Structure formats: structure tokens, C-alpha cells
Amino acid sequence: MRTWYTTRPTFPAIKSHISYVVGDSAWEGHTANICERRDEVLAYAKNDHLGFQIQYLWGGSRRRFLPDFLIRLCNGKILALEIKGEDSPQNRAKRDALAEWVAAVNQSGGFGQWCWDVAFAPHDIDDIITRHAAA
């Protein structure tokens, strides 16, 4: 990975292969802190400079969507987590593409078991991790 510089706040990380999480918002820092303290989370990464993206169509053109976090759970699942304060038709199109990608990758096998979710409020994060770690 090439070095890059940021003026955004960073949060130290132990459960991530990257030593600091760059937070695009305080909410993303909050999510990183939850991932650090939850036993159900084995590892996680902020999806920044990783190259993980989902293609979707919007307004007649192809776009790319980068879910905010990739989280490896204790049950072996990989959770693609999006942090979203407000919903919109474009955000729903992104989620539809993510749901289709997760279904396809799970059906093909060989890439682990994936799941996805969206947090619309900071207090959703704990419940999302609990739900997907138990499933």
C-alpha cells in the first residue's frame, strides 16, 4: 500500500491490519471503537485505499460504491457495513447492488461467507454486530 496523508482524525487500532483508522466522521471513529471492544469482532478495516468496491448503476451511468467497513466476525462471516445518516434513492440503489454482490459471492463459494448491513444511527452498530455474529 502506498503512503498517503490525511488531515482527518485518526483512531488507533489493534484488531485491524492498519494501525490507525482514518475517520471520515466521529461516527466512523465510534464504529472503530466498538469493533475494538467487541469480542465478536476478530478483525476489521475501514474501507479506505483497499480497492474494495461494488459497481452499481445510477442515472444511466456506472458508479462505484465503497462500503465504510469490512468486519470479520467470530462466526467466520465478513460483514460489509455502511454508515449512513440519511437515506436516499441513490443509497437504496447502492444497497441493492451490495445485496446482489453478497448473494452472488456466497453462492459461488470459495470467498467465505459474507453479509451486509447499514447503520442509520450510531446506536445501531452494536445491534448489527450482535445480529450478524449470532446468525
Side-chain angles (χ1 to χ4, degrees), residues 50-101:
L50 298 181
F52 180 79
Q53 58 188 2
I54 305 295
Q55 302 289 327
Y56 72 102
L57 291 175
W58 180 253
S61 64
R62 187 178 359 183
R63 311 258 177 133
R64 51 188 198 119
F65 163 51
L66 287 78
D68 293 308
F69 285 88
L70 300 175
I71 302 170
R72 182 177 301 278
L73 299 170
C74 62
N75 61 4
K77 288 185 179 180
I78 302 167
L79 169 63
L81 178 64
E82 174 67 6
I83 306 294
K84 193 60 62 193
E86 293 185 26
D87 207 4
S88 70
Q90 186 174 5
N91 290 332
R92 286 189 286 281
K94 292 176 185 180
R95 287 196 304 276
D96 290 345
L98 180 57
E100 186 177 338
W101 184 88

